[in-house]
Amino acid sequence: MSLSALLTAGPTPSPSPSPTQSPAVPTIQDAHDSATQAASWVEQNWSTWLAIGLKVLLILVIAAVLRVAIRRAITKLIDRMNRTVQAVDGTAIGGLLVNVERRRQRSQAIGSVLRSVASFVIMGTAALMILSAFQINLAPLLASAGVAGVAIGFGARNLVTDFLSGVFMILEDQYGVGDTIDAGVASGEVIEVGLRVTKLRGDNGEIWYVRNGEVKRIGNLSQGWATAAVDVTVRSSEDLEKVKATIDDVAERMSKEEPWNELLWGPIEVLGLDSVLLDSMVVRVSAKTMPGKSLTVERELRWRIKRAFDAADIPIVGRAVIAVEEDAADPTAGMAAPSAYASATSPQSLAATPLAPPSVTK
């Protein structure tokens, strides 16, 4: 066959591959076309991706700078609070405040809470802005979070109340570990303070678990100062000057002895007569003491006053117990009152008697 005949006949179609044969291997032309398409796609979208990347980077940088700035501002504020407390320590007003270490711990706790809250808010907002930069629709996410928050709020409202109450108790330093408080529902020494529950140890050793949301009022017996009050009952005919001189002598000696000179934050004073009766009168003695030590000072003061009065021959009296004699029991007290129907001739009995049937006349 000549060369012209082959050229005229054209290319001979290649036989189709059988099912048992492997598929054809991509050629260099196919790879070139794929690379061309990828390069074209990158060329068309590189500006969009670059803009998104720069936006995300800008959001992260602003969030980091803002977080550092706010944390430093909070730290400086806490340091200023500590310096203010140290400045008043040792002065007259400093005695009414809690000690410096306690205030420092409280300020550090407040600073830690504020820094955590600030970091959470800033980084959470930055995360939402980054998702928005990638053109992710946040409406369903926010709606779901809102519905879930409402459901959780209704279902666990007591838990939320306890948590918020605990946060404000810590921030306001209403009480701390070691304080003796009266929480209304229970009283005792605080052994643990939590955001939901406060643990108290009662006078008998029992442990009370008090939910912070249930506390309506708090009486802190360990802050500021306490008052020790002692009432001394003597005869109405007793010499008041002698009584006052004896108590003043006890107060002077007690104020100079240890450890009472540290527990007493003020002089022991005789306030005067609290009441005057026919056979007795009550003398009120008071003193300002260290917080939580009023009962200890009262017991010691009563002990010393009793010994001093015995030495000075001043009897301590009390109210006479008047015995009330009970009347003899009436034997008829448990009997019912007589009834008018008990007598057959009484008008009530006669009125209740049935009428006789009429006689029949023949």
Side-chain angles (χ1 to χ4, degrees), residues 25-36:
V25 178
T27 62
I28 298 177
Q29 184 65 30
D30 296 336
H32 180 268
D33 294 340
S34 299
T36 303

Side-chain angles (χ1 to χ4, degrees), residues 104-116:
R104 187 189 65 81
Q105 294 176 354
R106 176 204 172 196
S107 60
Q108 293 296 332
I110 294 175
S112 177
V113 172
L114 292 179
R115 283 190 290 265
S116 299

Side-chain angles (χ1 to χ4, degrees), residues 73-156:
I74 293 174
T75 302
K76 290 183 179 180
L77 178 62
I78 298 303
D79 293 340
R80 182 175 299 178
M81 292 173 57
N82 291 335
R83 289 195 299 267
T84 304
V85 173
Q86 293 176 359
V88 301
D89 184 41
T91 61
I93 191 175
L96 301 179
L97 299 176
V98 192
N99 56 67
V100 177
E101 182 64 21
R102 166 75 179 276
R103 303 285 289 192
R104 187 189 65 81
Q105 294 176 354
R106 176 204 172 196
S107 60
Q108 293 296 332
I110 294 175
S112 177
V113 172
L114 292 179
R115 283 190 290 265
S116 299
V117 171
S119 299
F120 176 79
V121 172
I122 293 173
M123 301 310 296
T125 305
L128 293 178
M129 294 178 65
I130 290 174
L131 292 177
S132 177
F134 283 103
Q135 297 182 355
I136 297 177
N137 189 9
L138 300 179
L141 178 62
L142 296 178
S144 302
V147 173
V150 171
I152 294 175
F154 277 108

Side-chain angles (χ1 to χ4, degrees), residues 179-253:
D179 291 348
T180 301
I181 66 172
D182 180 5
V185 294
S187 60
E189 181 182 356
V190 180
I191 59 178
E192 184 178 341
V193 179
L195 292 178
R196 192 181 68 87
V197 175
T198 298
K199 294 172 62 175
L200 304 177
R201 184 174 296 278
D203 297 334
N204 297 326
E206 69 277 9
I207 295 180
W208 298 95
Y209 294 85
V210 182
R211 288 171 45 194
N212 296 331
E214 297 294 330
V215 178
K216 304 301 181 183
R217 62 171 180 83
I218 295 177
N220 196 325
L221 307 180
S222 299
Q223 290 184 357
W225 44 268
T227 301
V230 175
D231 293 335
V232 182
T233 306
V234 297
R235 296 176 301 185
S236 58
S237 59
E238 201 68 47
D239 185 5
L240 291 177
E241 296 298 331
K242 181 179 179 182
V243 172
K244 186 176 185 303
T246 305
I247 297 177
D248 289 341
D249 182 63
V250 171
E252 183 179 358
R253 285 188 283 107

